[in-house]
Amino acid sequence: EAGVTQFPSHSVIEKGQTVTLRCDPISGHDNLYWYRRVMGKEIKFLLHFVKESKQDESGMPNNRFLAERTGGTYSTLKVQPAELEDSGVYFCASSQGHQSYEQYFGPGTRLTVT
Amino acid sequence: AQSVTQLGSHVSVSEGALVLLRCNYSSSVPPYLFWYVQYPNQGLQLLLKYTSAATLVKGINGFEAEFKKSETSFHLTKPSAHMSDAAEYFCAVSPSGAGNMLTFGGGTRLMVKP
């Protein structure tokens, strides 16, 4: 069974540009989470989808970040326009149904904004 | 509100020595507790989890952790370190309900000396 995949693995963009990160969860997993680790800091929650609906987006830093989950399958996280402080590693995780508390993580996307 | 503190951002042990990685948490509700490991260029992998059953939890690769409510701790141990254990370890807490976000500690990088 394929694990959680993320694309791209690395992205280097200039301040003011737009970047879209993609996450493909494990097939059949209803829950999808985005997390971010800024260098030197702890991994922080961004948001949680249940199928295609946003269950909790309390961790989204500001309105420059837009997350979608089309048809309850893959998810995208768009940053527009990117700022220097958006640099970090963005992790995606998924878990099964409502009773599942074990989250499976992808390898992350390392975003560098210059 | 929840928080996790990992004492020591870097821990160095000799091969064959005891590994002890410390984690203390605060939670307003009974918590679920997790240890994840990240090897270089890989995603986070679940080592073990505590979900209100036995307080001594055994995980993969010979690791175990003990939930101590009175000390609000969930320290990770392994009797004998291997070179392959060199990685970054993360303690995380989730409120005792499925499908909830994880709150992470800052991570501890374990180095194993030959």
Side-chain angles (χ1 to χ4, degrees), chain B residues 10-93:
Chain B
H10 292 78
V11 170
S12 181
V13 300
S14 297
E15 192 173 19
L18 171 72
V19 176
L20 170 60
L21 304 182
R22 299 179 186 274
C23 172
N24 288 88
Y25 70 91
S26 67
S27 178
S28 55
V29 296
Y32 289 167
L33 293 155
F34 306 83
W35 276 98
Y36 282 86
V37 59
Q38 185 181 26
Y39 298 104
N41 302 314
Q42 295 186 29
L44 279 73
Q45 180 182 0
L46 182 67
L47 267 180
L48 49 80
K49 60 182 183 284
Y50 166 77
T51 56
S52 74
T55 56
L56 181 62
V57 181
K58 294 186 183 299
I60 61 171
N61 301 337
F63 284 93
E64 63 181 38
E66 185 172 8
F67 171 66
K68 291 188 176 180
K69 184 177 178 180
S70 62
E71 298 178 8
T72 59
S73 68
F74 191 57
H75 302 330
L76 181 70
T77 60
K78 182 174 180 177
S80 176
H82 295 159
M83 296 297 291
S84 59
D85 294 327
E88 192 161 19
Y89 293 78
F90 297 92
C91 182
V93 63

Side-chain angles (χ1 to χ4, degrees), chain A residues 33 35 37 48 98 102-103, chain B residues 36 49 88 98-100 102 106:
Chain A
Y33 305 81
Y35 294 86
R37 190 183 194 192
H48 170 205
H98 177 68
E102 185 164 335
Q103 296 183 25
Chain B
Y36 282 86
K49 60 182 183 284
E88 192 161 19
N100 284 297
L102 295 169

Side-chain angles (χ1 to χ4, degrees), chain B residues 91-113:
Chain B
C91 182
V93 63
S94 173
S96 55
N100 284 297
M101 68 178 193
L102 295 169
T103 299
F104 284 90
T108 298
R109 187 167 295 280
L110 176 66
M111 294 163 284
V112 182
K113 299 175 292 186

